[in-house]
Amino acid sequence: MALDHMRMKGRHAGVSRPYFDARTGASYYRKNGEWHHLYRLIDRENDRYVETIKRLTTGEILKHVDEPLSEHVGHGSAKPRGVPSEPDEP
């Protein structure tokens, strides 16, 4: 079985951060050892985040998110960091 994955990024001249980032294709999920089909769109110009994950063998939709990108917080690099612990007092 051949599996593929594609990623596209759109950038404006002179700006390093892409305004558009999309990926689609097969993605291996380590937690359950299954292949899934992933579609993810990050559209900064239109404030949109879309992600759909389907089980590759059955087509069952495991996750679907379609929301404004500005409301998509607490995921990936936007997760809150742990608060450093205070040193123990002697």
Side-chain angles (χ1 to χ4, degrees):
M1 169 166 58
L3 302 172
D4 62 347
H5 190 93
M6 180 175 67
R7 184 171 188 182
M8 300 173 285
K9 289 186 178 184
R11 299 179 195 270
H12 291 296
V15 180
S16 63
R17 187 174 190 184
Y19 67 90
F20 174 87
D21 188 352
R23 58 177 64 195
T24 185
S27 177
Y28 186 71
Y29 188 57
R30 290 185 200 112
K31 281 188 177 180
N32 66 5
E34 289 184 343
W35 283 94
H36 296 153
H37 182 272
L38 167 70
Y39 171 77
R40 182 180 299 137
L41 168 68
I42 300 171
D43 186 350
R44 290 183 179 88
E45 279 191 337
N46 297 307
D47 190 33
R48 201 87 220 135
Y49 179 86
V50 180
E51 182 178 56
T52 303
I53 300 173
K54 294 180 186 178
R55 185 170 280 134
L56 199 57
T57 54
T58 64
E60 172 190 4
I61 295 177
L62 302 173
K63 178 180 180 180
H64 179 73
V65 177
D66 186 348
E67 64 189 8
L69 183 59
S70 58
E71 294 178 13
H72 188 74
V73 295
H75 304 278
S77 63
K79 286 182 183 175
R81 304 279 184 204
V83 179
S85 61
E86 296 282 328
D88 292 329
E89 291 184 21

